[in-house]
Amino acid sequence: PTSHEASAAEFSAFQNNYLCVYLLCLFSDWLKGPYVYALYEQYGFTSDEIAWLFAGGFLSSLFFGTVVGALSDKLGRRNMCLVFCFVYAASAFTKLVNSFSVLFLGRVLSGIATSLLFTTFESWMVSEHHARNFPEHLLTNTFYKQTVGNGVVAILAGFVAQGAAVCCGYAAQFLVAVPCLLAASVMICRWRENFGNRSMRLAETITVGVTSIVNDSKLL
């Protein structure tokens, strides 16, 4: 093959590997949506208690989302992708326990995982894309396929979650996510590690982020 064909084949392999991993993780995330409220109701919690459970996840994501970028830069983006798989699997197992404190911990873990899912994976991919000297315009192609794939796995997850709930109960959909996360983690272990600005302090990172948002009306 020519050098151009070899480069195209290398990019295709890289893109397919990334999309396979990321879409497995997105599929796992979408599985939690359809019946989580029904599960809490089945466990006998009041609407106020359920509201607190949801708030715990959202506040966890809000807080952790401010620091996850800096942690990924310092500790390694591939490592933090593996942390996502572990944290999300742990969150899934908490759904088997009819205890408010355990389920609240699960929501906190889910919030942490959500922050990792929507930041760390793309950061790793973009950095690796540049490190391999792939053409800049091909990033658009990856993001396009990622967005379309997200819609497809969201629909598929709805059907799978419904089937699992009908067959085995409302907690089953969360356990379906575990083998998907395991498969994704095995592939992630083969990724090369990359880092961001490891010298920037956490407080400095947060300050830069807040300043960027405040000074750009579109971001705000």
Side-chain angles (χ1 to χ4, degrees), residues 85 177-187:
C85 294
V178 175
C180 299
L181 295 167
L182 177 61
S185 65
V186 170
M187 288 186 280

Side-chain angles (χ1 to χ4, degrees), residues 8 45 108 167 217:
F45 295 112
V108 171
C167 176
S217 60

Side-chain angles (χ1 to χ4, degrees), residues 79-216:
N79 287 337
M80 296 305 285
C81 290
L82 287 171
V83 169
F84 161 82
C85 294
F86 172 78
V87 170
Y88 207 90
S91 173
F93 283 119
T94 64
K95 299 299 187 294
L96 301 176
V97 182
N98 186 356
S99 164
F100 182 86
S101 57
V102 173
L103 291 171
F104 190 85
L105 172 62
R107 292 297 300 179
V108 171
L109 293 175
S110 179
I112 294 172
T114 298
S115 297
L116 289 168
L117 178 62
F118 292 107
T119 55
T120 307
F121 285 84
E122 289 183 1
S123 295
W124 178 87
M125 183 272 292
V126 172
S127 179
E128 188 67 13
H129 183 101
H130 291 148
R132 298 190 183 205
N133 296 315
F134 293 135
E136 187 73 19
H137 71 273
L138 290 178
L139 272 175
T140 303
N141 182 264
T142 300
F143 282 120
Y144 164 75
K145 290 182 178 179
Q146 174 180 301
T147 302
V148 173
N150 184 27
V152 173
V153 298
I155 296 169
L156 178 62
F159 286 111
V160 172
Q162 182 179 11
V166 170
C167 176
C168 305
Y170 292 139
Q173 66 198 59
F174 300 96
L175 297 183
V176 173
V178 175
C180 299
L181 295 167
L182 177 61
S185 65
V186 170
M187 288 186 280
I188 291 170
C189 287
R190 299 173 182 173
W191 287 1
R192 295 192 306 188
E193 185 60 280
N194 61 54
F195 300 89
N197 186 354
R198 305 176 73 180
S199 63
M200 185 176 289
R201 293 175 297 179
L202 183 60
E204 185 180 355
T205 301
I206 296 174
T207 301
V208 170
V210 172
T211 302
S212 299
I213 293 172
V214 171
N215 292 336
D216 190 325

Side-chain angles (χ1 to χ4, degrees), residues 19-20 22-31 146-160:
L19 289 174
C20 184
Y22 192 53
L23 293 178
L24 273 174
C25 294
L26 285 172
F27 177 76
S28 301
D29 183 60
W30 280 112
L31 280 172
Q146 174 180 301
T147 302
V148 173
N150 184 27
V152 173
V153 298
I155 296 169
L156 178 62
F159 286 111
V160 172

Side-chain angles (χ1 to χ4, degrees), residues 38-91:
L39 176 67
Y40 294 153
E41 276 193 324
Q42 186 182 67
Y43 282 159
F45 295 112
T46 66
S47 57
D48 287 343
E49 290 173 324
I50 294 173
W52 275 110
L53 288 171
F54 276 92
F58 296 142
L59 291 173
S60 170
S61 186
L62 172 66
F63 172 77
F64 196 76
T66 61
V67 301
V68 66
L71 288 176
S72 297
D73 285 349
K74 291 179 178 294
L75 302 179
R77 292 158 180 156
R78 187 201 68 166
N79 287 337
M80 296 305 285
C81 290
L82 287 171
V83 169
F84 161 82
C85 294
F86 172 78
V87 170
Y88 207 90
S91 173

